[in-house]
Amino acid sequence: MILGVVLALVATLAYNAGFVLEKGALSALPPLTVRLPLALVRTLVTTPRWLAGFGLILAGLAGQLVVLTRIPLTVAQPVFASGIVFLLLLSMTVLGERLTAREWTGLAGIAAGVVCVLASLDPRTDVAGTGGHAVRVLLVAAPSTLAGVAVFVTAARGRVRPRPAGDVPYGLAAGIVYGVAGMISKGLSASIDFHGPTAIAASALASPYLYLLVPVALTGFVVFQTALQRGRASIVAPVSTVVSTLYTVVAGTPMFGEHLPPDAADLTLRLVGLALIAAALFRLPHGDDTAGR
């Protein structure tokens, strides 16, 4: 259990550091458009700094797959979300994005929520689920992905409030699609045999979850990269991360047969922690903030 939490922290640090590298690279590129996906990909893969960030993100995602085999979603996802703290601090120091008092308060809420979740851990009952059915996951994943794309299209057409609150729909769109990907990743992690590279490759290729994950992850990739270029990293990435975290927990926990803590005190801590992290989503972005990009 403790090893799983430590690995989750390392994975989320790598994942969010990759975001910052990508944002720095995207800021120096010409405007990206989802209408020309091949040109978008060609531009990105010929940018060394972006590739470095993408490599860190992939390393973080690989770590997350292992984590999901060790601890349940209601523990793993809040720990993954705690990477927002690291991301915002890097956004401030590396990208020069100034954090507002509202954003600092949001960070405090996230930190408090993660502490509550960790305090609720019980190795006897917090076991990663292995259930789930690919068809049932597909029936949830398909409409959810389409909803995320619809939010992105609406945001891109300018039917949103002015910045920085106008950056929120971009993060919401990416978060929905990445949340779907997180739910599918849970299924994939449960179906992979981690006993050596050959076993990993063979079991992954035989899993239907891999073929569900690829199109959803590619959709999330295009949506997020475009959103990250157009909006503030300190708004888009946190909103995306928290939305994807909540989606994965809410949809994935019953989907894969995981359970909340049976002890009343632990259950209260777990739910309070999740609620604090959710509330931080509404605290971080605000239309009246004047933080610079």
Side-chain angles (χ1 to χ4, degrees), residues 188-207:
L188 179 61
S189 70
S191 62
I192 289 179
D193 180 356
F194 286 95
H195 295 89
T198 301
I200 291 174
S203 57
L205 290 172
S207 173

Side-chain angles (χ1 to χ4, degrees), residues 191-261:
S191 62
I192 289 179
D193 180 356
F194 286 95
H195 295 89
T198 301
I200 291 174
S203 57
L205 290 172
S207 173
Y209 289 108
L210 177 65
Y211 304 99
L212 290 178
L213 179 61
V214 169
V216 174
L218 287 176
T219 301
F221 170 82
V222 172
V223 168
F224 184 79
Q225 294 301 318
T226 308
L228 192 61
Q229 186 187 51
R230 296 179 182 180
R232 294 174 60 204
S234 55
I235 295 294
V236 173
V239 172
S240 173
T241 300
V242 175
V243 171
S244 66
T245 295
L246 294 176
Y247 181 98
T248 303
V249 168
V250 172
T253 296
M255 188 76 69
F256 295 101
E258 294 185 348
H259 304 284
L260 290 168

Side-chain angles (χ1 to χ4, degrees), residues 106-134:
L107 289 183
I110 293 167
V114 171
V115 168
C116 288
V117 169
L118 294 180
S120 73
L121 291 179
D122 186 341
R124 298 169 299 177
T125 57
D126 285 317
V127 180
T130 57
H133 192 282

